[in-house]
Amino acid sequence: LLADQGTTFDSGFATFSLCCPSRATFLTGQYAHNHGVMGNAPPAGGYAKLDSSNTLPVWLQRAGYHTVHIGKYLNGYPGANRTHVPAGWTEWYGSIDPSTYRFYNYTLNENGRLVTYGGDPASYQADVYSRKAVDAVRRLAPAPAPFFLSVAFLAPHSGGPREPDDPRGIGTPVPAPRHRNRFAAEPLPQTAAFNEADVSDKPAGIRSRRPLTALQIAGVTENYRQRLESLLAVDDAVAALVAALREAGELERTLIVFTSDNGFFHGEHRVLAGKVLLYEPSIRVPLILRGPGVPRGQHVAELVANIDVAPTIVDAADARALRVLDGRSLLPLAGDAGRRTGRDILIERGPGGNNQQIFTALRTPRYLYAEYSNGERELYDLVRDPDQLTSLHADPGHQALRTRLAERLARLRSCTGPDCRSAPRLGVRVAYRFKKRAGCTASRVRALVEGVDAASIERVDFFIRGRRVARDRAAPYRVVFAARRFRTARVLRVRAVLDDGRMLTLERAVRRCK
């Protein structure tokens, strides 16, 4: 209902793979070092750490939107004032911590009134959220004002109550009764990183972990199965929401964004469960768009992240952000799957990251480079080593690359706004005999890709009307075209591929005389 009818971003990331910092990024379009929420609890993080007076729902209200939130919010909500409603929300059904992490017997603040749900099947948390969301759609869709609906499910996060078949020492979710044991025989996916045999290249936090025992692996497997089962209720909710929008006649006019605040480990690199680390299972998240102008059944390879969610919604709503946004709207990328921005993604972990070692990391399409506050380093070539088994940080052959990545990481670590979206410094120059009076060319067209970062180029592809017409693998990256090539095309598109996997799309207008 979403991916087949919309666009899937295959390389989606959580820039701080922990609940509260990631959700604060959803609300601000900023990296954690800019919005200030560096953990789940004070003093580094938690609900009170975010300036809620200047977030996405506030901007949408100013643009005329009726805003609704249902479910989990920032960790530590609501604090001392249990009936407090954060700024910007026209309707509010926020879960009260710590009851947020109970699939039954939890409390919601429903527009300033505390309502506690019980332990009966009808009170199963995801189903309650689903019913409230469908009700909101049915009430608000007929109204003239546009609406923004945020629904935040707990699944597949662990939560109470404990069940008889839960593994010892691992928190698990609680599937809905109708879905219990649906995946009881599902095998646990095991990549080469599962229960990694040699962790001598890893930082101390991984080196100190002992190999998983058979009993622990059985526990990881049970947790994985229960996570799948818990998500079936979320699937039901998605189906119910899509059906409600269709019945209201608003489905094709509604942008739907589906994503998560972090990934989870299931035994990779000897990590039983959890997140917050910089490895792929922790930082990878789904990201799907469905709605007006979003192509159906499309996949986009460009690196994107949770910093892009708020800018995308602001763009779709024609609203105005009152913060400096670190991310960018995904709508142009959805509309043009071949576009590449050459942007690096910053991965962060601050002092509030479950007391783990602080780090910052640079994620490119090919490499992950990390620096820890205690001086440790990691570097992975994700093309040759997608499971991150062998860190190259101490390999003399990668010294030059390491230096370049370290320089980029240093700039990104404290970036704001446009500096967080900086691209390789390249341009395309087009030269031809130009008939000034006619404003066109009848001669050959010469295209040259150049710039400060040209030494890092591996190849350059040239496109006319979406078709690759030339490729150059050696400097200077220059191609000459006959003017007739542009008989029905007015744009030359160039894609530069750099040695670290980054790609940058450049375009120049060309007008051929008829």
Side-chain angles (χ1 to χ4, degrees):
L1 294 175
L2 301 186
D4 289 350
Q5 301 301 317
T7 293
T8 300
F9 293 85
D10 293 323
S11 298
F13 295 93
T15 56
F16 194 132
S17 57
L18 185 66
C19 312
C20 202
S22 188
R23 289 169 185 267
T25 292
F26 287 152
L27 293 167
T28 62
Q30 294 180 321
Y31 282 115
H33 68 261
N34 286 327
H35 62 59
V37 181
M38 302 297 286
N40 280 348
Y47 167 67
K49 189 73 173 179
L50 180 67
D51 177 10
S52 295
S53 69
N54 185 12
T55 57
L56 177 63
V58 174
W59 311 335
L60 293 176
Q61 271 194 341
R62 292 189 176 199
Y65 275 72
H66 186 106
T67 59
V68 184
H69 176 76
I70 299 168
K72 182 178 179 180
Y73 203 54
L74 301 186
N75 298 65
Y77 171 81
N81 184 356
R82 290 168 61 81
T83 58
H84 167 69
V85 175
W89 297 104
T90 314
E91 294 186 43
W92 179 257
Y93 308 91
S95 61
I96 301 293
D97 278 359
S99 77
T100 296
Y101 294 93
R102 302 177 199 150
F103 287 84
Y104 298 97
N105 299 304
Y106 52 91
T107 300
L108 301 184
N109 174 3
E110 301 190 357
N111 298 310
R113 183 173 66 95
L114 299 184
V115 179
T116 297
Y117 292 80
D120 57 294
S123 295
Y124 183 71
Q125 193 189 82
D127 293 342
V128 170
Y129 293 174
S130 177
R131 291 196 297 270
K132 289 184 179 297
V134 168
D135 173 70
V137 169
R138 289 172 175 166
R139 286 187 292 104
L140 299 174
F147 69 91
F148 170 68
L149 172 61
S150 164
V151 189
F153 298 96
L154 176 59
H157 198 286
S158 59
R162 293 284 295 177
E163 299 173 290
D165 59 347
D166 285 349
R168 183 179 300 176
I170 300 179
T172 66
V174 178
R178 65 188 180 278
H179 298 139
R180 180 179 296 279
N181 293 326
R182 183 74 64 85
F183 289 100
E186 188 73 13
L188 175 69
Q190 296 187 12
T191 67
F194 183 80
N195 203 14
E196 188 175 358
D198 180 5
V199 294
S200 59
D201 62 314
K202 298 291 188 292
I206 297 295
R207 293 199 309 272
S208 64
R209 296 173 183 266
R210 300 179 64 83
L212 305 182
T213 65
L215 183 62
Q216 288 175 318
I217 293 173
V220 171
T221 303
E222 177 63 23
N223 184 27
Y224 174 72
R225 291 168 175 169
Q226 291 192 28
R227 281 179 170 165
L228 294 182
E229 291 164 2
S230 73
L231 285 170
L232 292 175
V234 178
D235 285 344
D236 290 345
V238 169
L241 278 166
V242 170
L245 287 165
R246 182 180 289 113
E247 291 166 7
E250 294 293 334
L251 180 58
E252 301 309 319
R253 299 178 59 204
T254 302
L255 177 67
I256 301 175
V257 182
F258 181 89
T259 190
S260 181
D261 52 4
N262 55 253
F264 278 129
F265 287 101
H266 296 95
E268 298 88 353
H269 309 292
R270 303 185 182 181
V271 183
L272 272 176
K275 50 221 179 177
V276 201
L277 302 175
L278 52 75
Y279 307 113
E280 295 289 281
S282 179
I283 65 175
R284 285 270 188 172
V285 292
L287 183 51
I288 303 170
L289 301 184
R290 172 184 173 160
V294 178
R296 297 184 176 187
Q298 177 177 258
H299 288 258
V300 174
E302 173 79 351
L303 268 60
V304 299
N306 53 356
I307 54 171
D308 301 321
V309 172
T312 301
I313 296 171
V314 166
D315 184 14
D318 197 23
R320 185 168 72 91
L322 301 180
R323 289 176 182 254
V324 177
L325 300 177
D326 299 334
R328 57 161 49 95
S329 172
L330 299 176
L331 296 181
L333 287 174
D336 183 359
R339 183 182 296 273
R340 297 291 184 270
T341 67
R343 173 185 61 167
D344 295 316
I345 299 294
L346 176 68
I347 309 297
E348 302 177 280
R349 184 174 72 193
N354 289 358
N355 297 318
Q356 301 277 358
Q357 189 66 43
I358 300 169
F359 66 70
T360 52
L362 188 78
R363 182 60 162 80
T364 81
R366 179 167 182 174
Y367 294 102
L368 178 82
Y369 172 71
E371 296 181 355
Y372 291 79
S373 58
N374 66 353
E376 292 181 301
R377 301 287 185 268
E378 287 184 275
L379 171 62
Y380 298 97
D381 183 337
L382 300 170
V383 171
R384 298 180 178 177
D385 182 18
D387 296 305
Q388 299 167 291
L389 299 178
T390 304
S391 178
L392 304 172
H393 66 278
D395 180 3
H398 288 80
Q399 176 61 50
L401 171 67
R402 203 162 52 245
T403 299
R404 286 163 46 204
L405 294 178
E407 290 172 352
R408 298 218 303 269
L409 176 58
R411 292 194 295 269
L412 208 56
R413 184 180 290 121
S414 58
C415 71
T416 57
D419 291 341
C420 301
R421 306 187 293 273
S422 60
R425 292 163 292 180
L426 297 171
V428 57
R429 184 154 54 94
V430 173
Y432 47 74
R433 290 193 186 94
F434 189 71
K435 294 185 177 180
K436 292 184 179 180
R437 184 169 298 178
C440 60
T441 180
S443 69
R444 292 179 299 174
V445 177
R446 295 174 174 84
L448 173 66
V449 177
E450 56 189 359
V452 174
D453 292 322
S456 299
I457 294 177
E458 281 193 342
R459 72 173 190 271
V460 176
D461 294 327
F462 297 83
F463 299 83
I464 297 176
R465 297 184 65 191
R467 178 171 163 266
R468 193 183 77 195
V469 294
R471 170 174 285 178
D472 198 347
R473 294 183 177 274
Y477 300 96
R478 178 186 300 140
V479 173
V480 178
F481 299 99
R484 66 176 180 273
R485 289 269 199 174
F486 297 93
R487 185 175 302 156
T488 59
R490 295 189 176 183
V491 175
L492 173 67
R493 168 170 280 197
V494 175
R495 181 187 296 164
V497 181
L498 281 68
D499 57 10
D500 60 5
R502 287 182 299 166
M503 299 183 187
L504 179 64
T505 300
L506 304 165
E507 291 183 342
R508 284 298 300 269
V510 177
R511 186 176 178 189
R512 177 187 177 275
C513 296
K514 296 181 180 179

